[in-house]
Amino acid sequence: MKFLCLHGAYGNIPTFRVQLGPMIELLESTSSASFEFIQGRVPVTPPPGFESYFGSGPHFRFLKDKGEAEASAVEGIRVFPEADTPEDALRLLMPKGETTVGFAEAREAALEQLYEALDADPEIGGIIGYSEGAAAAATLIYDEHERAKSEGYVPRIKAAIFFMGWPAISETGPVLSDEVEDLLEVQSLHIVGANDPYKDGALALYNLFDDNMVVFFDSAGGHTIPRHGKLLQELVQAVRDLVSNIPVHEPTMVAKRLDSAVNIPDLSALKLAEE
């Protein structure tokens, strides 16, 4: 299976390749998976004091806040709100309809780029996201899920790997498990750090997926990707197990979204291409 890889906020392709390098090397050595990287289109400058933390520039994001990208909500997350549930914490952190964030604009721009990536490579059937990249990846899965219900669209993403992260974004705010009718039915692996200061974001993302199709992986760390030792070996095995649960040959269709003015075609007339 080929995975589309999305870096975190203030990231780029070279840095994310390094972060995923040990895992990818082990997976590719047994032909367990292949990987395609894309880079966010929103240029940003790391917050003061974090220049070295995010590695060499230029730096990018997938989700742009309303206004200047570097004057973003990401910078404002210093202390995560305390609440009874991850969903309550997210509601406090990102109120629905918050005009300073601009959920609708950020969502549409990110989805446009991700659907373009799917259109360009019919072999992609999985997605990997780290931190903000996980939110962008989840937003794509959620959009495919909604389109499947309204249009009969056949989702492309069959498997997802989330390193920490945040829930999907709708036009009005975060998509939360206690506010939706149906959970997302995609095989998913969630790597969550017990000491991650943004752990509630990752837990809210985890809760958004069907219990029968989700795997929780405790990285026993912070907001970082496992890269060494026994933990790396266990992560690689978890990814192999995830991939083994996905049927190899499934029909796919062009991922381009239909304009609202276009009539939805009869599904029987669609020509599906085999992966």
Side-chain angles (χ1 to χ4, degrees):
M1 171 172 284
K2 179 178 282 189
F3 286 89
L4 185 65
C5 302
L6 282 61
H7 59 74
Y10 303 102
N12 52 43
I13 289 176
T15 297
F16 200 33
R17 284 189 185 277
V18 171
Q19 291 171 320
L20 291 183
M23 182 191 79
I24 287 178
E25 181 179 358
L26 291 174
L27 289 169
E28 289 186 335
S29 69
T30 56
S31 301
S32 299
S34 59
F35 305 87
E36 178 72 25
F37 287 76
I38 62 170
Q39 194 158 265
R41 292 175 175 172
V42 183
V44 290
T45 301
F50 286 84
E51 292 84 357
S52 61
Y53 176 82
F54 292 105
S56 301
H59 302 91
F60 300 91
R61 292 182 60 190
F62 287 98
L63 295 166
K64 179 180 180 179
D65 298 339
K66 191 172 183 179
E68 295 298 325
E70 54 267 28
S72 70
V74 172
E75 291 188 42
I77 305 173
R78 292 289 184 264
V79 179
F80 213 96
E82 293 186 7
D84 292 336
T85 68
E87 289 72 25
D88 286 341
L90 266 292
R91 276 186 281 268
L92 291 172
L93 183 67
M94 295 187 286
K96 288 188 180 294
E98 174 57 62
T99 57
T100 60
V101 177
F103 292 111
E105 295 89 343
R107 176 181 183 275
E108 288 306 308
L111 284 175
E112 180 180 5
Q113 179 181 6
L114 296 180
Y115 277 114
E116 286 177 5
L118 295 187
D119 288 345
D121 191 340
E123 293 185 0
I124 293 173
I127 197 163
I128 295 175
Y130 169 48
S131 194
E132 182 187 79
T139 300
L140 173 63
I141 294 172
Y142 178 73
D143 193 66
E144 287 200 317
H145 176 82
E146 292 299 293
R147 291 182 60 203
K149 292 191 297 183
S150 64
E151 303 174 10
Y153 169 82
V154 180
R156 284 281 302 276
I157 301 302
K158 310 300 182 186
I161 301 172
F162 300 110
F163 289 96
M164 298 74 199
W166 309 84
I169 298 296
S170 71
E171 293 183 353
T172 58
V175 180
L176 302 174
S177 61
D178 58 1
E179 297 178 357
V180 297
E181 293 183 4
D182 303 309
L183 298 178
L184 301 178
E185 296 182 352
V186 170
Q187 299 285 348
S188 60
L189 172 63
H190 299 250
I191 297 88
V192 181
N195 299 318
D196 183 0
Y198 312 131
K199 181 173 61 177
D200 276 348
L203 294 177
L205 172 59
Y206 172 85
N207 289 341
L208 194 56
F209 285 77
D210 187 288
D211 292 345
N212 297 315
M213 305 178 73
V214 66
V215 176
F216 185 92
F217 186 98
D218 182 4
S219 71
H223 200 74
T224 56
I225 296 173
R227 302 182 69 249
H228 306 286
K230 182 180 179 181
L231 195 62
L232 172 62
Q233 298 293 334
E234 292 175 346
L235 171 61
V236 168
Q237 186 57 52
V239 174
R240 287 177 177 145
D241 292 343
L242 177 75
V243 172
S244 69
N245 289 328
I246 310 301
V248 176
H249 298 292
E250 287 197 7
T252 60
M253 64 181 290
V254 174
K256 186 179 295 182
R257 292 182 295 164
L258 298 175
D259 185 271
S260 59
V262 177
N263 291 327
I264 305 301
D266 184 353
L267 282 179
S268 63
L270 291 176
K271 295 182 178 180
L272 302 181
E274 293 291 337
E275 284 188 340

